[in-house]
Amino acid sequence: MNIGEIARRAGVSRSTVSYVLSGKRTVSEATRQRIQAVIDELDYRPNASARALKEGRTRTLGLVIPPASQRLTDMQLGFVASVVEAAARHDLDVLLSPSGGDHDRSFERIVAGRRVDGVVLMEIRLSDDRVTRLAKVGLPFVTIGRTAEPHGMSWIDVDYAGLIARCVHHLADLGHRHVALVNRSAELVASGYGPSHRALAGFRAAVAERGLVGVDVCCGHDAASGEACVEQLLAAYPQLTAMATINEAALPGVQRALAGAGLAVPGDFSVTGVAAQHWAEDFSPPLTAADVPMVDMGTEAVALLLEIIAAPDAVPRHRLYSPPVSLRSSTGPARPR
């Protein structure tokens, strides 16, 4: 069923039907009712383009993700899925756009072309040109993560500094004196990636507060990198008895390296950190960790973005998630080595 059929049955022109659907021009009440009666009889539903024309919107949200050349971590995929599902509940589409490196043109097309009503921006750096660009053109946006100075913008984030500090205090309470932080990749840290820098700050502050010996290392986002990283740590720092991490993708390799070194978890070595729940539960034994609420964060990011689209001049809002550290089975009293 299309506009032409509605026009034929109502005895009007196609343009008159379009005016009724879009509301862009005044149509006599009698004609409008006649057209509406045909629409109701045929159970006609305007397609997305027609609805967008009527509302003056695209009914599409942009989701800016890391470059396609980088394999997304499970946590990143969880954020993507939660944003898409939340948008679908509002009958909205989501346009995925990678950014960074050769993909900046894709981001620029979204911004300059006004192909979306608003943007959810992931993987935020402390100084992020994408945030500056979106603010400059006035396109509504919400970030998952935050810059160093997030004033005047709306964001959702995890308190990585506070959570890693909490993990260190937990290890210190168990008697651990030599602890490590396994961070994200060196490239990501060098780019100013917010979670990595805040986790490091929290780690160093807690280590200093408790008088511990701490070492921090960067690690690639895969099992092989995790295994190599922990092997190198154990060789260079034989007194280590515990570690915290925000690098969930490296956890299977961490597990292999500890087993290969003959270290039982948690009898000989404790592991904790910040991770998606399923990564924590798949670790052996289950990981004591702060579980990142990906679904809640993606859902709230979409809800916040829709608020901004509806009221662009509203005061920016933010939400800092600080989930509890779930005490599972991967941490225990320190055993001298």
Side-chain angles (χ1 to χ4, degrees), residues 44-305:
Y44 174 74
R45 295 291 182 270
N47 62 26
S49 296
R51 291 201 308 271
L53 176 66
K54 181 176 181 179
E55 298 171 4
R57 295 178 180 168
T58 66
R59 297 196 62 81
T60 301
L61 304 180
L63 176 57
V64 180
I65 60 176
S69 58
Q70 299 178 10
R71 187 176 67 180
L72 296 184
T73 67
D74 276 26
M75 189 179 298
Q76 291 167 340
L77 288 172
F79 284 130
V80 171
S82 65
V83 168
V84 171
E85 291 172 4
R89 289 194 290 271
H90 293 277
D91 195 26
L92 300 173
D93 295 324
V94 175
L95 177 61
L96 296 182
S97 173
S99 70
D102 294 336
H103 297 284
D104 284 340
R105 290 190 301 274
S106 175
F107 173 70
E108 188 59 29
R109 282 195 297 271
I110 280 186
V111 175
R114 291 285 177 167
R115 301 169 65 184
V116 298
D117 298 322
V119 171
V120 176
L121 190 62
M122 292 174 50
E123 302 296 283
I124 304 302
R125 292 162 174 74
L126 295 177
S127 178
D128 202 310
D129 292 339
R130 301 168 303 170
V131 171
T132 304
R133 177 72 173 125
L134 287 168
K136 182 177 181 180
V137 301
L139 185 62
F141 71 96
V142 170
T143 60
I144 298 179
R146 67 195 193 279
T147 60
E149 299 293 338
H151 312 298
M153 57 183 279
S154 295
W155 52 266
I156 309 289
D157 203 2
V158 172
D159 182 13
Y160 281 98
L163 292 178
I164 286 295
R166 202 180 303 167
C167 289
V168 172
H169 287 299
H170 170 62
L171 294 172
D173 290 342
L174 291 170
H176 294 277
R177 308 301 301 168
H178 295 79
V179 299
L181 172 68
V182 176
N183 210 325
R184 299 286 293 274
S185 72
E187 294 80 9
L188 206 57
V189 173
S191 74
Y193 181 58
S196 290
H197 284 262
R198 292 188 172 100
L200 179 57
F203 176 78
R204 289 177 172 172
V207 163
E209 181 179 343
R210 299 301 293 265
L212 309 181
V213 177
V215 58
D216 56 89
V217 294
C218 294
C219 179
H221 308 142
D222 56 75
S225 296
E227 185 172 9
C229 177
V230 172
E231 288 175 348
Q232 292 165 11
L233 269 175
L234 295 175
Y237 306 96
Q239 291 181 299
L240 279 179
T241 60
M243 59 167 277
T245 186
I246 63 168
N247 191 336
E248 60 178 24
L251 283 172
V254 169
Q255 191 169 309
R256 287 203 301 264
L258 292 174
L263 298 176
V265 178
D268 301 313
F269 200 94
S270 290
V271 183
T272 184
V274 181
Q277 183 175 350
H278 81 90
W279 274 111
E281 293 176 344
D282 287 347
F283 195 78
S284 181
L287 187 71
T288 290
D291 302 336
V292 176
M294 298 175 296
V295 173
D296 292 345
M297 292 177 68
T299 299
E300 187 163 2
V302 170
L304 188 52
L305 180 57

